[in-house]
């Protein structure tokens, strides 16, 4: 503890310095000065002082003025005032300057020691509060970075982040409530949404999450009775639609899975909720959607539309291809039926035609295995029908533009790819797959295009993105290094460690230690 002494009485000041040195605490007297003005000048060049002990009566600047200055300019420095009995009532006015203690003259060693000990204890309590807040924040950030899939597959993460679900919940059935808000939400809003979902779930055996990657809220709620669980969670969901708009000012969509039991079914329950919530594309926001299985779908593309799209692409007729896409999204049967799987089938039919056009093949083989578009990931990322329509329109425009020897919207393609990486960096991604199964263009051309727009190769960009993401997780979360490696797309932890060392000059453990942090 560094102490600055300010007292205009020479012998009293030196006696105080000696007392501090002999007090039996780890105290370093940074300096002893005669006036408050000298104390101010010293602090300007030595702001690492912990405590200022000052007499109340001094020339140029008295102890109260010095306390006021320290409180304003150096609020982290504690002030102790030494005062005579006659000045004590006057000195108490300094409470507005956060003076920590008052010592009456003549100063005794025990009084001085007690004052410093109280300051040290107070400082330790404040440091503990700060550490607790940092730890709590790191815990919440750690949960946000995960996904239901990671939780379902990792018992250690379940134990660490699902403390709200008691042990006996393993014998109960559960449902997943999935919620998305159509807009940005602040940290306090996220915490309020999670709190109210937990409160209104109708069961104490529940846990609420916010997963940053998909900007989604997931409530995992356990019940003794399966039929009663649907009633309780529907009531919670309908209530949430109302208050979420008041909390965020935005519309919301909510879906409910069927009843499941055991953590082995958690990811299946989540996928059911994803399937159900995607109905918002057809029926709009501010609804609660309940998964009831896949219904009979409306047919895929009509023969007329399929032939029309193939012909338009063959002739590089962008307008003709756009008309086919627009007809799909304006089909009354599709909109009235409200079957999201029917919409998915039509999207896949369009992408299959684009795929065959790219490969110049009329083979009737199963094109789904050749496409990078899934109901679970890709369809879920579209929040409105207009976004999905623009996506398909953009695809046919790019293909027609390529056929005519141009690439008018190349920056849009690269932006889409970088956004895709930000959502899917934890999965296996290759430029060849993106070129041939998502954007239907030559991989060499796409590689040159990516480097021209981004300034580095696709593989280098992906590696740097994953490592930078892992560095953020090391700084902000309590996740283990092995969990971070898996989260950012490394199947081999040792490979991740080597890659990290190559870029940052130290291992992930060493990097985290350099920040004064350790794994939980």
């Amino acid at each position: 503890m560094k102490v600055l002494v300010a007292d205009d009485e020479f012998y009293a000041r030196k006696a105080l310095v000696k007392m501090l040195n002999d007090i039996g605490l780890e105290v370093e007297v940074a300096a002893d000065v005669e006036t408050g003005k000298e104390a101010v000048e010293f602090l300007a060049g030595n702001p690492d002082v912990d405590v200022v002990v000052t007499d109340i009566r001094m020339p140029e600047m008295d102890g109260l003025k010095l306390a006021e200055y320290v409180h304003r300019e150096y609020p982290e420095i504690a002030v102790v005032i030494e005062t005579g009995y006659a000045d004590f009532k006057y000195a108490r006015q300094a409470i507005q300057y956060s003076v920590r203690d008052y010592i009456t003259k003549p100063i005794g060693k025990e009084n001085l020691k007690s004052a410093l000990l109280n300051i040290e204890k107070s400082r330790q309590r404040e440091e503990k509060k700060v550490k607790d807040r940092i730890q709590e924040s790191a815990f919440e950030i750690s949960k946000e970075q995960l996904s239901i899939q990671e939780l379902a597959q990792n018992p250690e993460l379940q134990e660490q982040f699902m403390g709200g679900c008691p042990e006996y919940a393993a014998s109960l059935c559960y449902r997943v409530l999935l919620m998305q808000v159509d807009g940005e939400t602040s940290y306090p809003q996220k915490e309020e949404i999670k709190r109210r979902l937990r409160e209104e779930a109708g069961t104490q055996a529940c846990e609420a999450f916010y997963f940053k990657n998909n900007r989604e809220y997931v409530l995992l709620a356990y019940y003794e009775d399966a039929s009663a669980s649907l009633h309780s969670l529907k009531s919670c969901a309908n209530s949430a639609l109302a208050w979420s708009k008041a909390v965020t000012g935005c519309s919301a969509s909510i879906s409910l899975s069927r009843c499941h039991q055991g953590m082995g079914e958690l990811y299946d329950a989540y996928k059911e909720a994803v399937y159900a919530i995607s109905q918002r594309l057809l029926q709009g926001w501010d609804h609660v959607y309940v998964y009831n299985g896949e219904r009979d779908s409306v047919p895929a593309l009509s023969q007329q539309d399929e032939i029309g799209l193939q012909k338009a692409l063959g002739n590089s007729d962008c307008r003709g291809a756009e008309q086919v896409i627009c007809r799909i999204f304006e089909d009354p049967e599709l909109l009235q039926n409200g079957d999201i799987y029917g919409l998915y089938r039509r999207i896949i039919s369009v992408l299959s035609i684009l795929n065959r056009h790219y490969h110049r093949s009329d083979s009737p083989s199963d094109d789904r295995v050749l496409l990078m578009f899934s109901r679970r990931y890709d369809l879920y990322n579209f929040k409105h029908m207009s976004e999905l329509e623009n996506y398909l329109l953009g695809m046919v425009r790019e293909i027609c533009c390529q056929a005519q020897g141009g690439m008018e919207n190349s920056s849009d393609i690269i932006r889409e790819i970088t956004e895709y990486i930000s959502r899917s960096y934890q999965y296996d991604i290759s430029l060849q797959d993106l070129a041939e199964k998502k954007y239907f263009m030559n991989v060499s051309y796409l590689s040159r295009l990516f480097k021209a727009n981004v300034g580095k190769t696709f593989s280098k960009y992906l590696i740097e993105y994953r490592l930078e993401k892992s560095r953020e997780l090391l700084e902000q979360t309590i996740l283990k290094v092995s969990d971070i490696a898996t989260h950012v797309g490394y199947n081999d932890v040792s490979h991740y460690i080597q890659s990290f060392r190559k870029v940052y000059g130290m291992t992930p453990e060493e990097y985290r230690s350099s920040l004064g942090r350790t794994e939980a």
Side-chain angles (χ1 to χ4, degrees):
M1 179 186 297
K2 281 191 173 183
V3 179
L4 171 63
V5 176
D7 193 322
D8 63 326
E9 295 182 17
F10 177 81
Y11 292 107
R13 184 171 75 248
K14 294 303 180 181
L16 184 55
V17 169
K18 185 177 186 307
M19 195 179 299
L20 287 168
N21 289 327
D22 298 338
I23 207 168
L25 301 177
E26 292 185 7
V27 173
E28 175 190 343
V29 179
D32 60 281
V33 296
E34 189 173 356
T35 68
K37 184 178 179 182
E38 289 180 16
V40 168
E41 292 171 352
F42 180 83
L43 288 173
N46 304 272
D48 58 337
V49 167
D50 299 304
V51 182
V52 172
V53 179
T54 177
D55 188 12
I56 199 168
R57 294 178 181 271
M58 293 185 297
E60 295 183 337
M61 175 186 280
D62 64 23
L64 290 184
K65 289 293 184 183
L66 176 59
E68 179 184 7
Y69 174 82
V70 171
H71 175 65
R72 183 179 67 250
E73 300 296 330
Y74 306 97
E76 70 282 2
I77 297 179
V79 176
V80 175
I81 287 182
E82 44 174 318
T83 175
Y85 285 109
D87 298 321
F88 187 72
K89 190 173 181 180
Y90 174 55
R92 288 186 64 85
Q93 297 175 12
I95 194 170
Q96 61 184 307
Y97 307 136
S98 299
V99 170
R100 295 294 182 89
D101 214 333
Y102 310 92
I103 307 175
T104 55
K105 297 178 179 179
I107 297 173
K109 183 182 292 187
E110 290 305 315
N111 290 341
L112 181 59
K113 184 175 183 178
S114 176
L116 294 180
L117 283 174
N118 286 337
I119 289 172
E120 183 61 27
K121 288 177 182 177
S122 176
R123 178 159 295 159
Q124 289 174 354
R125 286 194 297 269
E126 290 300 317
E127 288 177 355
K128 185 178 184 303
K129 287 180 182 178
V130 171
K131 287 180 180 179
D132 288 345
R133 284 197 295 268
I134 292 173
Q135 188 74 0
E136 182 181 351
S137 175
F139 183 84
E140 292 302 322
I141 293 173
S142 300
K143 283 183 13 179
E144 285 189 7
Q145 298 296 332
L146 298 175
S147 66
I148 279 289
Q149 185 175 12
E150 287 173 286
L151 283 174
Q153 295 173 348
N154 192 323
E156 288 187 9
L157 292 178
Q158 294 166 22
E159 183 177 352
Q160 190 172 15
F161 295 110
M162 297 177 66
C165 299
E167 293 180 4
Y168 67 79
S171 63
L172 305 179
C173 71
Y174 63 84
R175 291 181 187 267
V176 165
L177 179 151
L178 177 63
M179 175 178 177
Q180 277 195 326
V181 176
D182 191 19
E184 296 293 333
T185 50
S186 65
Y187 178 77
Q189 289 171 338
K190 292 172 190 172
E191 292 303 298
E192 177 69 6
I193 289 173
K194 289 190 294 181
R195 182 187 67 80
R196 297 188 68 164
L197 286 174
R198 285 192 296 264
E199 287 181 353
E200 299 181 17
T203 174
Q204 291 185 341
C206 64
E207 187 58 74
F209 300 86
Y210 174 77
F211 295 122
K212 185 177 180 180
N213 201 35
N214 287 325
R215 297 180 181 178
E216 63 190 5
Y217 299 87
V218 174
L219 176 70
L220 179 61
Y222 289 84
Y223 303 90
E224 293 183 359
D225 183 82
S227 57
S229 71
L230 181 58
H231 175 76
S232 294
L233 219 50
K234 267 188 174 180
S235 175
C236 171
N238 284 313
S239 175
L241 286 180
W243 55 250
S244 66
K245 182 162 285 189
V247 170
T248 67
C250 303
S251 295
S253 290
I254 300 177
S255 64
L256 308 178
S257 74
R258 292 184 296 190
C259 249
H260 290 264
Q261 193 165 16
M263 293 304 295
E265 297 183 17
L266 177 58
Y267 192 44
D268 291 331
Y270 169 74
K271 287 188 287 186
E272 290 174 0
V274 167
Y275 177 94
I277 204 172
S278 292
Q279 292 180 72
R280 65 192 173 188
L281 291 169
L282 295 170
Q283 298 180 26
W285 285 67
D286 295 316
H287 292 289
V288 176
Y289 300 103
V290 180
Y291 179 81
N292 293 310
E294 296 182 4
R295 298 179 293 171
D296 292 336
S297 303
V298 297
L301 287 185
S302 68
Q303 187 176 18
Q304 178 185 357
D305 283 338
E306 187 170 343
I307 293 172
L309 183 56
Q310 289 173 345
K311 183 177 179 181
L313 293 172
N315 295 329
S316 299
D317 178 8
C318 188
R319 183 173 179 79
E322 289 175 349
Q323 289 174 345
V324 175
I325 300 298
C326 291
R327 276 201 302 272
I328 295 172
F329 286 91
E330 294 169 0
D331 183 359
E333 183 181 3
L334 177 66
L335 297 174
Q336 291 171 11
N337 186 286
D339 177 23
I340 196 63
Y341 189 64
L343 175 63
Y344 174 71
R345 285 187 63 204
R346 293 195 175 194
I347 295 169
I348 292 299
S349 295
V350 170
L351 294 177
S352 296
I353 291 171
L354 301 183
N355 193 358
R356 286 199 299 270
H357 174 77
Y358 167 70
H359 290 287
R360 298 294 190 270
S361 169
D362 295 324
S363 170
S365 61
D366 185 3
D367 294 299
R368 296 187 188 189
V369 298
L370 301 175
L371 300 174
M372 289 184 67
F373 192 95
S374 73
R375 187 158 35 105
R376 187 167 68 247
Y377 296 117
D378 295 278
L379 193 59
Y380 180 38
N381 283 315
F382 294 101
K383 292 187 174 182
H384 298 276
M385 198 72 147
S386 58
E387 296 174 0
L388 182 55
E389 183 176 7
N390 288 334
Y391 165 76
L392 292 179
L393 288 172
M395 295 291 290
V396 299
R397 288 167 186 158
E398 291 293 347
I399 288 175
C400 291
C401 188
Q402 288 179 63
Q404 295 170 2
M407 181 55 73
E408 294 180 358
N409 298 314
S410 61
S411 59
D412 291 340
I413 287 282
I414 302 307
R415 177 182 50 78
E416 285 183 15
I417 291 176
T418 56
E419 289 178 356
Y420 182 82
I421 289 173
S422 70
R423 295 193 307 268
S424 310
Y425 59 85
Q426 59 266 64
Y427 306 113
D428 290 333
I429 305 174
S430 75
L431 190 62
Q432 180 141 358
D433 282 344
L434 288 172
E436 296 180 354
K437 302 174 186 178
K438 190 173 180 67
Y439 296 104
F440 314 113
M441 61 175 62
N442 181 275
V443 64
S444 297
Y445 179 76
L446 183 57
S447 178
R448 293 194 301 271
L449 199 62
F450 189 92
K451 188 172 183 179
N453 279 266
V454 179
K456 61 188 70 172
T457 65
F458 173 85
S459 60
K460 185 175 182 182
Y461 179 88
L462 178 59
I463 290 171
E464 289 181 354
Y465 187 93
R466 285 171 166 167
L467 291 176
E468 176 62 20
K469 188 69 179 178
S470 78
R471 187 183 64 80
E472 293 175 5
L473 296 176
L474 289 167
E475 293 175 354
Q476 300 174 7
T477 75
I478 58 174
L479 296 175
K480 294 181 178 179
V481 169
S482 56
D483 292 330
I484 290 175
T486 302
H487 180 80
V488 299
Y490 282 85
N491 296 323
D492 185 341
V493 177
S494 62
H495 182 209
Y496 161 67
I497 292 173
Q498 291 170 8
S499 299
F500 191 95
R501 181 193 284 122
K502 185 176 180 180
V503 172
Y504 297 107
M506 62 182 79
T507 67
E509 293 93 338
E510 290 169 344
Y511 181 80
R512 181 173 261 172
S513 296
S514 71
L515 302 172
R517 304 197 53 221
T518 58
E519 289 184 355

